[in-house]
Amino acid sequence: MDGVTDGLTNLKLGQKPVYLLKTKSSPSDSYEEYFENGDGLQYKPIFVPVLEHQFRDDALRNLKRSAERFAFAGGSPENPAKLRKATNNPAKRFGGIIFTSQRAASTNYGSVVYETGEMATFEEDFTNLLHEAKTAQVTEQWIVVFSPQGCEAMLSALGWLDERSGKYNAGRREVMLGPIKTRVATIGPTTKEFLEQNFGFVPDVCAEKPSPEGVGEAIMAFEKA
């Protein structure tokens, strides 16, 4: 389970797993800090990566050729005349490279060099975690969903989807995980509406603010109700 943090190892008595369906941020993650230092240390955050970034080989080859052929415009804001001359030259196709994240880059003329999609191993990784939870005799667990990607795989791994309709089946939820109480929280209304409209599934809670505090407060309010 590459990218899955810890699993259920070192789960303390009474701790509730909180499966965070996202890649852990580096060098630190605010969700991990919040749940590890929260109320009575009753939660154990576990990151389950959903998305992966794949570079487009064709775009990278094109960018490499452009760099080798000096296709980047010269000049600078301090020398606007030279900049205009360079960018008006048809051979100078690019004005520069923009790094949009730690993992990706694009040119400032719209040549995207990577794509984002659901990890091929996500459903298998999540299914294995759920089996671990049964073995560890977990009684309560939370799933925090951060985006529409991976929602179908999550519900499928839980066994909550009707095989014919592909929609949420409340009866299957009751029987699939036995005595384990499994709750679902969403980071905000977009993901909540996606689950409702596409699968007929209403999450247990929806955070008012897309933040660790927003998610934590929604979970604790549900548990105290």
Side-chain angles (χ1 to χ4, degrees):
M1 295 189 290
D2 293 342
V4 177
T5 59
D6 290 339
L8 293 174
T9 57
N10 303 318
L11 185 70
K12 297 178 181 177
L13 184 65
Q15 270 190 324
K16 304 171 188 176
V18 178
Y19 306 112
L20 300 160
L21 304 190
K22 66 184 288 288
T23 300
K24 181 180 177 180
S25 299
S26 179
S28 62
D29 192 289
S30 57
Y31 284 89
E32 180 179 53
E33 293 172 355
Y34 177 85
F35 283 105
E36 283 191 340
N37 300 310
D39 184 19
L41 300 178
Q42 62 176 318
Y43 301 108
K44 178 177 176 60
I46 300 170
F47 292 89
V48 190
V50 175
L51 303 178
E52 63 181 353
H53 304 279
Q54 297 179 331
F55 283 99
R56 294 176 50 187
D57 291 339
D58 57 338
L60 285 174
R61 284 195 297 269
N62 182 48
L63 192 60
K64 180 175 182 290
R65 284 197 300 268
S66 297
E68 291 172 344
R69 296 171 183 174
F70 306 101
F72 287 89
S76 67
E78 289 75 24
N79 192 337
K82 186 177 180 181
L83 180 62
R84 283 196 301 273
K85 182 178 179 181
T87 53
N88 287 333
N89 183 342
K92 305 296 185 180
R93 299 176 54 205
F94 303 116
I97 298 177
I98 301 172
F99 288 88
T100 56
S101 74
Q102 293 176 324
R103 304 181 185 88
S106 65
T107 69
N108 68 349
Y109 280 85
S111 178
V112 179
V113 298
Y114 82 102
E115 296 174 331
T116 302
E118 182 182 318
M119 290 185 67
T121 60
F122 166 64
E123 185 172 349
E124 180 182 354
D125 291 342
F126 190 49
T127 299
N128 290 338
L129 275 175
L130 296 173
H131 288 161
E132 279 188 43
K134 285 185 177 181
T135 302
Q137 298 183 328
V138 168
T139 57
E140 293 184 65
Q141 57 190 3
W142 279 91
I143 302 165
V144 182
V145 189
F146 288 80
S147 71
Q149 288 94 337
C151 283
E152 182 174 5
M154 173 198 71
L155 292 172
S156 177
L158 288 164
W160 293 358
L161 291 181
D162 183 88
E163 294 179 359
R164 292 185 177 181
S165 67
K167 299 290 186 179
Y168 169 69
N169 184 305
R172 291 183 63 84
R173 179 176 185 172
E174 292 296 323
V175 301
M176 289 306 296
L177 289 175
I180 303 178
K181 295 180 181 178
T182 302
R183 312 295 186 189
V184 177
T186 61
I187 191 70
T190 299
T191 303
K192 176 179 181 290
E193 291 170 5
F194 180 85
L195 285 165
E196 291 174 349
Q197 294 172 6
N198 289 272
F199 304 103
F201 173 69
V202 180
D204 297 284
V205 299
C206 175
E208 292 186 4
K209 298 181 295 183
S211 66
E213 293 77 15
V215 172
E217 289 168 5
I219 288 175
M220 285 185 277
F222 179 91
E223 293 183 339
K224 291 177 181 178

